[in-house]
Amino acid sequence: MAYANILVSVDLGGTAAERVRLAAGLARRFEATLTGAAACQVPAPDYVRDIGEIDDEDPKFEEKARAMLERARALFERSADTAGDPPVRRAWREALTGPITHLVEQARAADLVVVGRRGSDDPPRGALGAPPGPVLMEAARPVLVLPPRMEPAGGGLRGARIVVGWRDSREARRAVSAALPFIREADQVFVASTGDGARYEGAEDVADHLARHGAAVTTHLLRTVVSDGDELLRFALKQEADLIVMGAYGHARLREWLFGGVTYEMLQRSPIPCLMCH
């Protein structure tokens, strides 16, 4: 597994610039192209109104949407430029459609998608913002979810101490494979299992597999007190981890995504970047 194209969601929220800078740092580190993506939905005409009003109103919607996309592109170029030298290869993709739809479409040509966390207490991102949950569920690509205001003083995400939230599932297996570029360069990897039947999930086998890739790895069986998500976060913070790798679980109901307990907790409140796969 290697990252040749890293796709970053760009909006006009207060954390967008640091997200682009961090994604640019990863693109430089892994010698990948950095692709910025932004989209704005233009409202459909209201056919109840007079047809003359519709003709007059629609160009204004499109004009405002294109102006926002131009601001997003300028933010992307400016933030990528300030991320350091040498400059990374860049591409830009924009569209007049829903941000989720556009990001999922662009993910077809990406190895890693970078998005911002959107918990209930996180700052809003406006019309261009793409919430991570639906992107994670629909893109069929590894998604790196960044908490707000996490950019360290030195810039970038190293992945020096990685916690793998292990559960023997397709999602977790895909997440571990997707994270190998980080895992190979990590100082320490912790394979942690929690919940009923955790001791039978094959964590030792996974640790042996990662050791073959050159990782310094240990296994840990966690005892849940409050919830599995809370226990995994507590463990990651105790180990001073700067990256969590895990599968993501959820299903669609009435056109909304309902997430598993650990997935929901990570998307809502993890202060540590999470690389997740569905």
Side-chain angles (χ1 to χ4, degrees):
M1 177 70 186
Y3 303 142
N5 185 28
I6 295 176
L7 177 69
V8 60
S9 174
V10 184
D11 53 60
L12 299 177
T15 61
E18 71 181 41
R19 187 186 321 132
V20 173
R21 285 194 293 269
L22 188 144
L26 294 178
R28 181 180 302 103
R29 170 180 171 184
F30 295 116
E31 299 181 342
T33 296
L34 177 67
T35 300
C40 186
Q41 183 78 59
V42 176
D46 180 357
Y47 291 106
V48 175
R49 294 180 299 165
D50 180 81
I51 191 66
E53 294 181 31
I54 296 173
D55 290 341
D56 182 58
E57 188 73 21
D58 285 352
K60 294 181 181 178
F61 281 130
E62 182 171 337
E63 182 180 341
K64 291 178 180 178
R66 292 195 182 280
M68 284 193 289
L69 292 175
E70 185 57 37
R71 288 171 56 200
R73 180 169 188 169
L75 182 148
F76 170 72
E77 298 290 350
R78 183 171 62 250
S79 301
D81 279 338
T82 59
D85 291 321
V88 298
R89 298 186 302 274
R90 298 198 290 267
W92 176 252
R93 302 288 184 268
E94 66 178 53
L96 295 176
T97 187
I100 298 171
T101 299
H102 182 59
L103 200 61
V104 169
E105 287 178 352
Q106 296 306 311
R108 62 193 167 207
D111 299 301
L112 180 67
V113 182
V114 181
V115 299
R117 192 188 73 187
R118 187 182 282 187
S120 55
D121 296 326
D122 292 338
R125 298 202 199 96
L128 308 188
V135 176
L136 178 60
M137 293 293 110
E138 298 172 24
R141 289 291 186 270
V143 175
L144 179 62
V145 182
L146 302 178
R149 297 174 294 276
M150 65 138 294
E151 190 174 35
L157 167 63
R158 185 174 168 221
R161 298 174 67 81
I162 299 175
V163 168
V164 175
W166 179 251
R167 171 181 170 186
D168 196 11
S169 65
R170 291 174 298 175
E171 293 84 351
R173 294 182 184 196
R174 290 183 64 192
V176 167
S177 292
L180 281 176
F182 286 102
I183 289 172
R184 291 189 187 104
E185 298 181 5
D187 295 337
Q188 183 68 48
V189 178
F190 309 89
V191 179
S193 299
T194 187
D196 296 336
R199 67 177 65 252
Y200 307 111
E201 295 281 357
E204 294 286 350
D205 292 338
V206 176
D208 289 343
H209 169 65
L210 297 182
R212 295 186 191 104
H213 282 275
V217 56
T218 55
T219 59
H220 304 265
L221 182 61
L222 308 183
R223 178 177 175 270
T224 297
V225 177
V226 179
S227 68
D228 291 346
D230 182 81
E231 186 62 27
L232 185 62
L233 269 180
R234 184 202 63 79
F235 177 78
L237 291 169
K238 181 179 179 181
Q239 302 302 328
E240 299 182 337
D242 58 352
L243 180 64
I244 295 173
V245 174
M246 57 177 284
Y249 308 93
H251 63 275
R253 180 180 178 186
L254 300 178
R255 301 180 67 184
E256 294 284 342
W257 281 103
L258 301 179
F259 301 104
V262 178
T263 304
Y264 179 81
E265 287 197 51
M266 295 299 168
L267 291 176
Q268 282 288 312
R269 65 184 186 91
S270 174
I272 302 169
C274 294
L275 196 159
M276 309 170 81
C277 282
H278 177 60

